[in-house]
Amino acid sequence: MTNEGGGAIVVKPNNNLHRPKFGSFLYPESVIFSPRNNNNQDDGDYYSGHPKSSASSTSPRYNNNSGTRTPTSGEASPYLMSPWNNQPVSPYTKSPWLMPPYSPNENLLSSCNGLIGSIVRKEGHIYSLAASGDLLYTGSDSKNIRVWKNLKEFSGFKSNSGLVKAIIITGDSNKIFTGHQDGKIRIWKVSRKNPSVHKRVGSLPTFKDYVKSSVNPKNYVEVRRNRNVLKIRHYDAVSCLSLNAEQGLLYSGSWDKTLKVWRISDCKCLESINAHDDAINSVVAGFDSLVFTGSADGTVKVWRRELQGKGTKHFLAQVLLKQENAITALAVNQESAVVYCGSSDGL
């Protein structure tokens, strides 16, 4: 919910209600974020409406088992489609993860796990999250990147176009990379004088590299009939980002089916890999020289960075998984040498 100034407030859970078993939490019949408030007003100076996003033809929004297609955020308002649109109760009141009432004499953080609060802002779907220190960055349909601190809105910044599908922050918090629906990767820096101020310092590829590459016909690839694009830029939504901090590399996956490798120091595109037969939904770097990609084509692929000539190049090392349902998320645990995969079939 928003207050009169357009900010966000924390929804405090009601702990007096009956707590269902964990299974019912996983498969709730209806959920809701917050009670409707028709008197809410948006911050007109900072945010204007809920723009619709264009859905890509390669959008990974299909259920291959049923052959049906789920609506995209650009086809219907998330609030109209939402099952909690007209409900009066928060879903968190039924969550088994709710923390018990706070007692000053207890150290809750060391004694239990649970929901400590929620942040609500009516801006459509939240597509991306990133944390740095005590700050949380969120990206949504609104094209805004909002910054939260202690469950309260701290600051924010906005791109000119393209809803925010991915956010990643360098380890030193010096640079913030955001991937957008319009195929661009934007670069931001935090002001040294004022940490609440974020300034856009560039995009990938850089304008210099774009102009330089456009001169040579060999730098173009055919993506559709009678349509050629520069291979150093994504021509569809940038759906995921991952960093290899030790090597100074940024990986970007896109609905254009390509995986691109960027050198952070000079923002140069080192490689463009035709990685999958459908949209890439997730990319994660891990285990030194390995990169994992998950796609709507139902595969999880492993790419290995190897020396070639004076530089390095990524080669397909293995296909970990091949199935009918789209791969939607990946994560790695470096210490346990484990890769986790989420899929559109709920597994």
Side-chain angles (χ1 to χ4, degrees):
M1 291 185 295
T2 57
N3 57 24
E4 294 179 356
I9 66 174
V10 177
V11 178
K12 295 183 179 180
N14 181 359
N15 299 295
N16 297 324
L17 299 182
H18 173 69
R19 300 176 185 175
K21 296 182 179 180
F22 184 60
S24 61
F25 174 61
L26 291 178
Y27 306 100
E29 293 182 0
S30 64
V31 291
I32 141 188
F33 274 107
S34 62
R36 293 196 64 184
N37 185 349
N38 295 326
N39 296 324
N40 289 343
Q41 295 181 352
D42 290 316
D43 186 349
D45 294 334
Y46 187 76
Y47 171 71
S48 56
H50 307 287
K52 294 183 178 180
S53 59
S54 59
S56 165
S57 60
T58 57
S59 170
R61 302 177 184 274
Y62 294 87
N63 185 319
N64 291 329
N65 286 338
S66 63
T68 59
R69 183 177 185 274
T70 58
T72 66
S73 60
E75 294 170 346
S77 168
Y79 304 114
L80 296 177
M81 298 168 57
S82 171
W84 56 77
N85 187 35
N86 295 308
Q87 299 294 329
V89 184
S90 168
Y92 305 121
T93 60
K94 297 182 179 181
S95 171
W97 290 93
L98 285 179
M99 299 184 74
Y102 175 72
S103 172
N105 298 325
E106 297 181 8
N107 186 353
L108 293 178
L109 294 180
S110 62
S111 62
C112 65
N113 299 316
L115 178 69
I116 61 174
S118 58
I119 303 171
V120 181
R121 209 169 199 312
K122 293 185 177 181
E123 292 185 326
H125 296 293
I126 293 179
Y127 288 101
S128 49
L129 298 169
S132 177
D134 58 354
L135 299 179
L136 171 68
Y137 292 76
T138 62
S140 70
D141 280 327
S142 67
K143 307 173 189 176
N144 293 323
I145 299 95
R146 296 204 179 273
V147 189
W148 310 85
K149 186 175 182 179
N150 298 326
L151 296 177
K152 296 180 180 178
E153 187 165 354
F154 178 68
S155 66
F157 47 102
K158 185 175 183 178
S159 62
N160 294 327
S161 63
L163 60 87
V164 188
K165 297 193 68 67
I167 305 174
I168 198 161
I169 306 169
T170 56
D172 55 6
S173 301
N174 188 38
K175 288 183 179 180
I176 302 168
F177 297 91
T178 55
H180 297 259
Q181 176 84 16
D182 59 8
K184 293 183 179 180
I185 301 172
R186 293 173 170 87
I187 312 171
W188 314 80
K189 274 193 174 182
V190 182
S191 171
R192 294 182 179 179
K193 297 181 180 180
N194 186 352
S196 66
V197 176
H198 295 74
K199 181 180 180 182
R200 180 181 169 184
V201 294
S203 60
L204 300 179
T206 64
F207 179 74
K208 180 180 178 180
D209 287 342
Y210 186 87
V211 173
K212 185 177 179 181
S213 297
S214 62
V215 178
N216 190 346
K218 294 182 179 180
N219 292 327
Y220 288 85
V221 293
E222 185 177 3
V223 295
R224 296 189 185 96
R225 186 176 180 181
N226 298 326
R227 185 189 176 189
N228 296 328
V229 298
L230 283 174
K231 62 183 179 182
I232 67 170
R233 70 175 294 268
H234 290 295
Y235 67 89
D236 207 336
V238 177
S239 56
C240 47
L241 298 169
S242 184
L243 278 173
N244 184 326
E246 294 182 357
Q247 299 297 326
L249 299 176
L250 171 71
Y251 296 93
S252 62
S254 170
W255 288 357
D256 65 11
K257 312 174 189 177
T258 68
L259 169 68
K260 298 192 189 301
V261 187
W262 310 85
R263 188 164 55 207
I264 297 176
S265 59
D266 58 2
C267 300
K268 185 178 180 62
C269 181
L270 301 179
E271 289 182 72
S272 179
I273 305 168
N274 294 320
H276 288 271
D277 296 327
D278 206 336
I280 297 177
N281 292 330
S282 183
V283 58
V284 58
F287 315 113
D288 189 25
S289 62
L290 299 182
V291 182
F292 302 84
T293 55
S295 168
D297 64 12
T299 63
V300 176
K301 294 184 178 181
V302 189
W303 306 86
R304 185 188 302 277
R305 190 181 72 258
E306 300 178 1
L307 289 173
Q308 187 179 62
K310 296 182 179 180
T312 61
K313 189 175 181 180
H314 290 76
F315 296 90
L316 179 63
Q318 187 179 355
V319 178
L320 283 184
L321 179 66
K322 188 173 184 179
Q323 62 178 32
E324 292 184 358
N325 295 94
I327 306 301
T328 54
L330 293 173
V332 298
N333 186 323
Q334 303 258 22
E335 296 179 357
S336 302
V338 173
V339 181
Y340 298 93
C341 167
S343 174
S344 63
D345 57 5
L347 300 179

